[in-house]
Amino acid sequence: MPPRVVDGLFSRFSSPQCDKAEELEGFDDFTLASSWERFISEIEAICRAWMLDGHKNLVDKGAEQLGSWGNLFKVKSEIKYSTKFYRIEHYFGVSNNGKAADWDDNLHDLQLSFGVSDFLVVAPVSASGVVLDVPESTKLLSSVAVALTNCGSNWPAFVPVHDPSRKAYVGIQNLGLIFTRRFDSDRIGSQVPIRLMHLEGLYELFVSKFALYPVDFSARFFNVQFAMKLTYRTPPFESDDEFDSIDPEDKESAGDTDILKHIKTQWDDDCPWTEWYSAEDPVTAFELVAIWSSRTFETSPEMAELENASSFDAEKWLLYPVISPNMIHDSPGKFVGFASQLHLLVSALEKSYEAQFLEDFVSVENPASGSSKSSTIPPPTVVDRVLKEIFHDDGSLPSECENKHCRAIKGAPLESLFTQFCLHSLWFGGCNIRAVASLWIEFVREVCWCWDEAQPLPNMPKGSTIDLSTCLIHQKLQMLAICIEKKNPSHDFESTENVNHTNDEKVNVASYPSESVKEENDSADLPRLVSFSAFTYVLLPDAPSTASLIADFQTSVYSADEICNFHINFVICDLILPICASMHAPYTQDAPIMTEDMHEERLHAVEALGDAFRFSAQLERDILSSDMSAFKAANPDAVFEDFIRWHSPGDWEVNEMEARTGELNHWPPQGKLSQRMSEHGNLWRQIWNASLPLPVSEQKPLLDPIREGEKILHYLETLKPHQLLEQMVCTAFRASTDILNQTLYGDFKHMKTEVDQIYLTIASILKYFQANHLLEKDELIGNLRQLCLVFEHMEKLLILAASVHCKLLDAPQLSEAVFNDYFAFYQPKMGKSLESICYDQEFKTKQLIMMDERDAVASLFPPATATQSWRKVLSMGNLLNGHEPILREIIFSINDHIQDSQYASGVPTSNMEEIQTHRMYIGGTSNDLRVALSVTSWD
């Protein structure tokens, strides 16, 4: 160690002569530095480290991103001075240009109040986080100012003071070696002086801050820069209490129309889900932001004129929807909708694997599981009411809003009986397994009653076919409805709804007419239409050659309307081969209907026998025999070839050349059976020879309605719990999505995509129910719970889309833009995990309103009614349809040239520039006003 350093360290023990010598040589004794100097040194070291890293490196090292200000970051450090600890925080943005915009939504409160960009906050580490002692705050600001000067930084520094509720700050900023800017802010939290409720008074307050002598502000001219931002909030609906509080005399004088206007209605009364639940309005209000850009005013009367101006004069309008917290933060039990009930149904499915019979869950003596003991079953009165609703047939038609992907889900149509059972089960007794089992037992009893009394099943599609794309229970109920119809003594087997005239519907123009129909057609101008064959033959008596027309119509297919357009009389007929007599097309029985499980049994039988063709022909023997018997009864003189020409024209071969040259005029027509039909031992000919001529009314029905109906009831009564719940889950998911798909939300492309995607997602998850449980039970239940979460996200978005569309019906482009903003905000939450992504960000995106959309937005603010007039407070002006802004923000500023002001003294000419000498921010209402002032001085 150098001798002079050693001497310095021990200078306090040296003689006076040595001290004097050291002083003359300029030696500094750092061992005598004060605690305040060390405090400044520590602040300087922290600031130098932050400056050296730069903003990008600070972000990479883990700077905290502030949720409410997306582009703002913060780093912090703690230091000790005397016996107290202080926290120093550095706020910065990674993409700002060094100057904060006036009305940027990403601004921190201090940035907005004082117009600064990057800044420091020094506060004590305490419960209040503020400095209550004035000398202490002065010392803190002085320490930071010295440290920043040593670093060569011009960051402003702030210290919170006074009571925390006042949000008061004092601050300082060094602008080089010449200027210093001081900051001060405070809040008037009680009653605001009337003078400060108006723009004129606020203007005079600002001018008084830089006027150096008493002056009459009304006669004095100051070039003051002015900018204003007003925020309006749409009023809530009037509550019933407010209507009840109206004077009875006023109620009597008011008309019925006025009274109806006061009745509170739910916002979603016209939405499709309201039959099952009422949703909280996700858009609690709209906030309208009107902005007046920077202007220059010289006198206070100009401020008074602006206060009385209309909000439509503002340069910019921005709209912001106030979203319900339940839409942003996922809280269990907060959102009640189809998603919450589907989650309960999945839990019931999980319990259903614990028992073999549904009665086990209902029985008190032998409950299926211990956990089911706590599950309740609603009283019989509730059960009766629910059953009446399920079996109530309102005659509604299938929904026209059916999505193109809905049939990919193996459920049941929305208006069907089983779908109604599933939807009511979602809201019955908390959708626990005991409640579902008890309701199903009563449901089956009601179905049995309909069967015993031959009463048609309600809410079942009409027709004699089975929709194999639906779940098995719906197929069984469809078949049971057909069996009840056929079981009914009044059922007519010869009605046109239950017979076939031909196997090819395209060419079946009409059935053969009765005598009365013939007579009617003879007297009419329109042609008589008769079809006895798979081909339509047209005979024109007056035509020179009918054979060519016959050949032409053999190769063409015409509808009845097309044939009528010929405007000539003709006869359509076919002849039987032996006696050249007219061929009569018989009534035939429908093919026996089969459900999906019956088709599977048939397929397994075919696979077991090996010869699929012969077994299939054997299964069709009864149908073919019935058709042949009916044909023989209608045409006693017909032969096998006539039946083939009528029933299977593809097996009757005709020489095309003969047909074209007109040889068909000769009788009998040239033709022959196909090789398949002419081979020895043909099964069709064997059946023809064995068939007796019997009309349909005398034949044994191909479908035994009694036997099939009893089999269906047995299936419903012995259904396994998990089989019932699996089909309920599929049907409930499809039905819930179908109901939500009927929601009107305009032309929101993102929402349409989400709805289509949810159908495909549901179908992909539920397909495992059709694959004989390829997944383990736990994995399947986990996938279903995840599906419920995805469904909840879609349901929330769709309800919000409906709310936005309804409120902004006259501004469709604006409503879609508002929804797209929220969709982009909400999309990160729509993850694939069971745990929702929760983050502190708030939805603050505002949408610019075009000039032609302002009237539609202004309609959200209806004029105040007479009953609301007593609640009016002292207004601060700039009303919108009588509504006062909920927040008024104003910025006054003065820009001055250095050479033209008191700051010019001693300033070199090369440094002359325009600076902002005074700035004042005012924000709040008539009951809560905050004022922030910054003043630049030459120190």
Side-chain angles (χ1 to χ4, degrees), residues 839-867:
Y839 46 85
D840 297 332
Q841 291 184 0
E842 297 181 7
F843 178 67
K844 291 292 185 181
T845 305
K846 297 179 176 65
Q847 188 61 228
L848 179 64
I849 303 173
M850 300 292 109
M851 293 299 297
D852 58 348
E853 297 171 335
R854 289 194 176 188
D855 289 335
V857 174
S859 64
L860 298 174
F861 299 85
T865 62
T867 58

mmCIF file of all heavy atoms in Angstrom, residues 839-867:
data_model
loop_
_atom_site.group_PDB
_atom_site.id
_atom_site.type_symbol
_atom_site.label_atom_id
_atom_site.label_comp_id
_atom_site.label_asym_id
_atom_site.label_seq_id
_atom_site.Cartn_x
_atom_site.Cartn_y
_atom_site.Cartn_z
ATOM 1 N N TYR A 839 -54.767 -14.492 -15.363
ATOM 2 C CA TYR A 839 -53.726 -13.491 -15.367
ATOM 3 C C TYR A 839 -54.337 -12.175 -14.954
ATOM 4 O O TYR A 839 -55.554 -11.995 -14.923
ATOM 5 C CB TYR A 839 -53.070 -13.397 -16.742
ATOM 6 C CG TYR A 839 -54.030 -13.351 -17.904
ATOM 7 C CD1 TYR A 839 -54.592 -12.160 -18.321
ATOM 8 C CD2 TYR A 839 -54.377 -14.520 -18.571
ATOM 9 C CE1 TYR A 839 -55.478 -12.130 -19.385
ATOM 10 C CE2 TYR A 839 -55.254 -14.500 -19.628
ATOM 11 C CZ TYR A 839 -55.798 -13.311 -20.029
ATOM 12 O OH TYR A 839 -56.676 -13.285 -21.074
ATOM 13 N N ASP A 840 -53.470 -11.221 -14.609
ATOM 14 C CA ASP A 840 -53.914 -9.968 -14.015
ATOM 15 C C ASP A 840 -54.303 -8.920 -15.046
ATOM 16 O O ASP A 840 -54.680 -7.817 -14.663
ATOM 17 C CB ASP A 840 -52.798 -9.410 -13.105
ATOM 18 C CG ASP A 840 -52.510 -10.340 -11.935
ATOM 19 O OD1 ASP A 840 -53.438 -11.056 -11.535
ATOM 20 O OD2 ASP A 840 -51.369 -10.342 -11.455
ATOM 21 N N GLN A 841 -54.164 -9.236 -16.322
ATOM 22 C CA GLN A 841 -54.486 -8.237 -17.329
ATOM 23 C C GLN A 841 -55.975 -7.905 -17.309
ATOM 24 O O GLN A 841 -56.811 -8.761 -17.033
ATOM 25 C CB GLN A 841 -54.095 -8.741 -18.719
ATOM 26 C CG GLN A 841 -52.605 -8.846 -18.935
ATOM 27 C CD GLN A 841 -52.264 -9.257 -20.355
ATOM 28 O OE1 GLN A 841 -53.158 -9.465 -21.164
ATOM 29 N NE2 GLN A 841 -50.989 -9.380 -20.653
ATOM 30 N N GLU A 842 -56.281 -6.658 -17.568
ATOM 31 C CA GLU A 842 -57.650 -6.200 -17.654
ATOM 32 C C GLU A 842 -57.954 -5.815 -19.092
ATOM 33 O O GLU A 842 -57.090 -5.345 -19.822
ATOM 34 C CB GLU A 842 -57.876 -5.000 -16.726
ATOM 35 C CG GLU A 842 -57.669 -5.320 -15.257
ATOM 36 C CD GLU A 842 -57.917 -4.113 -14.379
ATOM 37 O OE1 GLU A 842 -58.367 -3.086 -14.917
ATOM 38 O OE2 GLU A 842 -57.654 -4.197 -13.172
ATOM 39 N N PHE A 843 -59.201 -6.040 -19.466
ATOM 40 C CA PHE A 843 -59.608 -5.702 -20.826
ATOM 41 C C PHE A 843 -59.846 -4.196 -20.894
ATOM 42 O O PHE A 843 -60.783 -3.675 -20.297
ATOM 43 C CB PHE A 843 -60.871 -6.465 -21.196
ATOM 44 C CG PHE A 843 -61.376 -6.143 -22.573
ATOM 45 C CD1 PHE A 843 -60.641 -6.500 -23.695
ATOM 46 C CD2 PHE A 843 -62.567 -5.463 -22.753
ATOM 47 C CE1 PHE A 843 -61.097 -6.204 -24.968
ATOM 48 C CE2 PHE A 843 -63.029 -5.161 -24.018
ATOM 49 C CZ PHE A 843 -62.287 -5.529 -25.123
ATOM 50 N N LYS A 844 -59.000 -3.500 -21.628
ATOM 51 C CA LYS A 844 -59.074 -2.039 -21.718
ATOM 52 C C LYS A 844 -59.091 -1.544 -23.155
ATOM 53 O O LYS A 844 -58.943 -0.353 -23.392
ATOM 54 C CB LYS A 844 -57.863 -1.417 -21.000
ATOM 55 C CG LYS A 844 -57.877 -1.577 -19.482
ATOM 56 C CD LYS A 844 -58.988 -0.764 -18.837
ATOM 57 C CE LYS A 844 -58.909 -0.826 -17.321
ATOM 58 N NZ LYS A 844 -60.003 -0.068 -16.690
ATOM 59 N N THR A 845 -59.272 -2.443 -24.107
ATOM 60 C CA THR A 845 -59.208 -2.039 -25.507
ATOM 61 C C THR A 845 -60.427 -1.198 -25.881
ATOM 62 O O THR A 845 -61.561 -1.581 -25.605
ATOM 63 C CB THR A 845 -59.137 -3.270 -26.414
ATOM 64 O OG1 THR A 845 -58.040 -4.087 -26.009
ATOM 65 C CG2 THR A 845 -58.952 -2.856 -27.864
ATOM 66 N N LYS A 846 -60.166 -0.064 -26.489
ATOM 67 C CA LYS A 846 -61.232 0.837 -26.940
ATOM 68 C C LYS A 846 -61.301 0.818 -28.462
ATOM 69 O O LYS A 846 -60.288 0.691 -29.134
ATOM 70 C CB LYS A 846 -60.994 2.256 -26.422
ATOM 71 C CG LYS A 846 -61.028 2.384 -24.911
ATOM 72 C CD LYS A 846 -60.765 3.809 -24.480
ATOM 73 C CE LYS A 846 -60.896 3.972 -22.972
ATOM 74 N NZ LYS A 846 -59.882 3.203 -22.237
ATOM 75 N N GLN A 847 -62.500 0.957 -28.971
ATOM 76 C CA GLN A 847 -62.722 0.915 -30.410
ATOM 77 C C GLN A 847 -63.127 2.300 -30.906
ATOM 78 O O GLN A 847 -63.995 2.965 -30.329
ATOM 79 C CB GLN A 847 -63.829 -0.092 -30.738
ATOM 80 C CG GLN A 847 -64.011 -0.351 -32.220
ATOM 81 C CD GLN A 847 -62.778 -0.933 -32.869
ATOM 82 O OE1 GLN A 847 -62.348 -0.447 -33.922
ATOM 83 N NE2 GLN A 847 -62.172 -1.948 -32.255
ATOM 84 N N LEU A 848 -62.460 2.753 -31.968
ATOM 85 C CA LEU A 848 -62.761 4.055 -32.539
ATOM 86 C C LEU A 848 -64.135 4.031 -33.202
ATOM 87 O O LEU A 848 -64.471 3.112 -33.940
ATOM 88 C CB LEU A 848 -61.688 4.432 -33.559
ATOM 89 C CG LEU A 848 -61.866 5.776 -34.269
ATOM 90 C CD1 LEU A 848 -61.773 6.928 -33.274
ATOM 91 C CD2 LEU A 848 -60.837 5.938 -35.378
ATOM 92 N N ILE A 849 -64.931 5.060 -32.935
ATOM 93 C CA ILE A 849 -66.287 5.168 -33.472
ATOM 94 C C ILE A 849 -66.261 6.086 -34.682
ATOM 95 O O ILE A 849 -65.793 7.230 -34.591
ATOM 96 C CB ILE A 849 -67.262 5.706 -32.407
ATOM 97 C CG1 ILE A 849 -67.239 4.795 -31.173
ATOM 98 C CG2 ILE A 849 -68.671 5.826 -32.965
ATOM 99 C CD1 ILE A 849 -68.046 5.337 -30.024
ATOM 100 N N MET A 850 -66.787 5.597 -35.796
ATOM 101 C CA MET A 850 -66.878 6.417 -36.992
ATOM 102 C C MET A 850 -67.998 7.459 -36.836
ATOM 103 O O MET A 850 -68.877 7.329 -35.993
ATOM 104 C CB MET A 850 -67.159 5.547 -38.212
ATOM 105 C CG MET A 850 -66.094 4.491 -38.499
ATOM 106 S SD MET A 850 -64.518 5.206 -39.017
ATOM 107 C CE MET A 850 -63.507 4.893 -37.581
ATOM 108 N N MET A 851 -67.946 8.478 -37.671
ATOM 109 C CA MET A 851 -68.929 9.558 -37.568
ATOM 110 C C MET A 851 -70.350 9.044 -37.795
ATOM 111 O O MET A 851 -71.292 9.476 -37.122
ATOM 112 C CB MET A 851 -68.599 10.654 -38.581
ATOM 113 C CG MET A 851 -67.300 11.393 -38.293
ATOM 114 S SD MET A 851 -67.305 12.248 -36.690
ATOM 115 C CE MET A 851 -68.628 13.434 -36.975
ATOM 116 N N ASP A 852 -70.532 8.097 -38.733
ATOM 117 C CA ASP A 852 -71.873 7.595 -39.005
ATOM 118 C C ASP A 852 -72.366 6.620 -37.950
ATOM 119 O O ASP A 852 -73.505 6.141 -38.032
ATOM 120 C CB ASP A 852 -71.919 6.926 -40.384
ATOM 121 C CG ASP A 852 -70.912 5.787 -40.506
ATOM 122 O OD1 ASP A 852 -70.041 5.664 -39.621
ATOM 123 O OD2 ASP A 852 -70.993 5.031 -41.489
ATOM 124 N N GLU A 853 -71.525 6.282 -36.975
ATOM 125 C CA GLU A 853 -71.923 5.376 -35.904
ATOM 126 C C GLU A 853 -72.215 6.101 -34.593
ATOM 127 O O GLU A 853 -72.622 5.472 -33.618
ATOM 128 C CB GLU A 853 -70.821 4.332 -35.661
ATOM 129 C CG GLU A 853 -70.561 3.424 -36.855
ATOM 130 C CD GLU A 853 -69.322 2.553 -36.672
ATOM 131 O OE1 GLU A 853 -68.428 2.957 -35.897
ATOM 132 O OE2 GLU A 853 -69.247 1.496 -37.303
ATOM 133 N N ARG A 854 -72.004 7.397 -34.564
ATOM 134 C CA ARG A 854 -72.155 8.134 -33.313
ATOM 135 C C ARG A 854 -73.609 8.153 -32.829
ATOM 136 O O ARG A 854 -73.868 8.078 -31.622
ATOM 137 C CB ARG A 854 -71.625 9.555 -33.467
ATOM 138 C CG ARG A 854 -70.107 9.622 -33.586
ATOM 139 C CD ARG A 854 -69.578 11.031 -33.400
ATOM 140 N NE ARG A 854 -68.126 11.079 -33.430
ATOM 141 C CZ ARG A 854 -67.395 12.150 -33.148
ATOM 142 N NH1 ARG A 854 -68.007 13.298 -32.857
ATOM 143 N NH2 ARG A 854 -66.082 12.103 -33.187
ATOM 144 N N ASP A 855 -74.552 8.267 -33.757
ATOM 145 C CA ASP A 855 -75.953 8.281 -33.345
ATOM 146 C C ASP A 855 -76.347 6.962 -32.692
ATOM 147 O O ASP A 855 -77.097 6.946 -31.702
ATOM 148 C CB ASP A 855 -76.851 8.552 -34.553
ATOM 149 C CG ASP A 855 -76.732 9.986 -35.043
ATOM 150 O OD1 ASP A 855 -76.368 10.862 -34.226
ATOM 151 O OD2 ASP A 855 -76.978 10.235 -36.238
ATOM 152 N N ALA A 856 -75.860 5.841 -33.241
ATOM 153 C CA ALA A 856 -76.175 4.538 -32.657
ATOM 154 C C ALA A 856 -75.588 4.401 -31.264
ATOM 155 O O ALA A 856 -76.219 3.836 -30.360
ATOM 156 C CB ALA A 856 -75.649 3.418 -33.559
ATOM 157 N N VAL A 857 -74.379 4.931 -31.050
ATOM 158 C CA VAL A 857 -73.770 4.875 -29.722
ATOM 159 C C VAL A 857 -74.474 5.823 -28.762
ATOM 160 O O VAL A 857 -74.696 5.499 -27.593
ATOM 161 C CB VAL A 857 -72.260 5.205 -29.824
ATOM 162 C CG1 VAL A 857 -71.636 5.298 -28.438
ATOM 163 C CG2 VAL A 857 -71.544 4.161 -30.664
ATOM 164 N N ALA A 858 -74.861 6.998 -29.244
ATOM 165 C CA ALA A 858 -75.558 7.951 -28.382
ATOM 166 C C ALA A 858 -76.899 7.413 -27.911
ATOM 167 O O ALA A 858 -77.381 7.780 -26.835
ATOM 168 C CB ALA A 858 -75.750 9.274 -29.115
ATOM 169 N N SER A 859 -77.501 6.497 -28.690
ATOM 170 C CA SER A 859 -78.775 5.916 -28.274
ATOM 171 C C SER A 859 -78.625 5.020 -27.054
ATOM 172 O O SER A 859 -79.627 4.658 -26.422
ATOM 173 C CB SER A 859 -79.384 5.118 -29.431
ATOM 174 O OG SER A 859 -78.562 4.005 -29.773
ATOM 175 N N LEU A 860 -77.400 4.644 -26.727
ATOM 176 C CA LEU A 860 -77.171 3.882 -25.496
ATOM 177 C C LEU A 860 -77.365 4.739 -24.253
ATOM 178 O O LEU A 860 -77.426 4.200 -23.142
ATOM 179 C CB LEU A 860 -75.750 3.297 -25.497
ATOM 180 C CG LEU A 860 -75.404 2.306 -26.616
ATOM 181 C CD1 LEU A 860 -73.924 1.953 -26.550
ATOM 182 C CD2 LEU A 860 -76.252 1.046 -26.498
ATOM 183 N N PHE A 861 -77.447 6.045 -24.441
ATOM 184 C CA PHE A 861 -77.628 6.974 -23.323
ATOM 185 C C PHE A 861 -79.006 7.624 -23.459
ATOM 186 O O PHE A 861 -79.131 8.726 -23.989
ATOM 187 C CB PHE A 861 -76.536 8.046 -23.327
ATOM 188 C CG PHE A 861 -75.147 7.497 -23.188
ATOM 189 C CD1 PHE A 861 -74.442 7.056 -24.306
ATOM 190 C CD2 PHE A 861 -74.540 7.416 -21.953
ATOM 191 C CE1 PHE A 861 -73.162 6.555 -24.188
ATOM 192 C CE2 PHE A 861 -73.260 6.918 -21.823
ATOM 193 C CZ PHE A 861 -72.570 6.475 -22.937
ATOM 194 N N PRO A 862 -80.050 6.944 -23.016
ATOM 195 C CA PRO A 862 -81.397 7.515 -23.164
ATOM 196 C C PRO A 862 -81.536 8.743 -22.280
ATOM 197 O O PRO A 862 -80.894 8.865 -21.229
ATOM 198 C CB PRO A 862 -82.311 6.377 -22.683
ATOM 199 C CG PRO A 862 -81.460 5.558 -21.769
ATOM 200 C CD PRO A 862 -80.062 5.644 -22.322
ATOM 201 N N PRO A 863 -82.371 9.702 -22.693
ATOM 202 C CA PRO A 863 -82.575 10.900 -21.868
ATOM 203 C C PRO A 863 -83.079 10.539 -20.483
ATOM 204 O O PRO A 863 -83.838 9.586 -20.309
ATOM 205 C CB PRO A 863 -83.626 11.693 -22.668
ATOM 206 C CG PRO A 863 -83.488 11.193 -24.067
ATOM 207 C CD PRO A 863 -83.091 9.760 -23.968
ATOM 208 N N ALA A 864 -82.619 11.292 -19.482
ATOM 209 C CA ALA A 864 -83.007 11.015 -18.097
ATOM 210 C C ALA A 864 -84.505 11.197 -17.939
ATOM 211 O O ALA A 864 -85.106 12.144 -18.466
ATOM 212 C CB ALA A 864 -82.255 11.942 -17.148
ATOM 213 N N THR A 865 -85.140 10.263 -17.219
ATOM 214 C CA THR A 865 -86.576 10.344 -16.975
ATOM 215 C C THR A 865 -86.861 11.322 -15.847
ATOM 216 O O THR A 865 -85.972 11.764 -15.124
ATOM 217 C CB THR A 865 -87.127 8.962 -16.607
ATOM 218 O OG1 THR A 865 -86.497 8.512 -15.395
ATOM 219 C CG2 THR A 865 -86.862 7.965 -17.731
ATOM 220 N N ALA A 866 -88.155 11.652 -15.707
ATOM 221 C CA ALA A 866 -88.555 12.597 -14.659
ATOM 222 C C ALA A 866 -88.274 12.047 -13.275
ATOM 223 O O ALA A 866 -87.970 12.795 -12.347
ATOM 224 C CB ALA A 866 -90.041 12.924 -14.811
ATOM 225 N N THR A 867 -88.347 10.734 -13.117
ATOM 226 C CA THR A 867 -88.096 10.140 -11.798
ATOM 227 C C THR A 867 -86.637 10.185 -11.403
ATOM 228 O O THR A 867 -86.303 9.964 -10.251
ATOM 229 C CB THR A 867 -88.565 8.675 -11.793
ATOM 230 O OG1 THR A 867 -87.872 7.964 -12.822
ATOM 231 C CG2 THR A 867 -90.062 8.593 -12.047
#
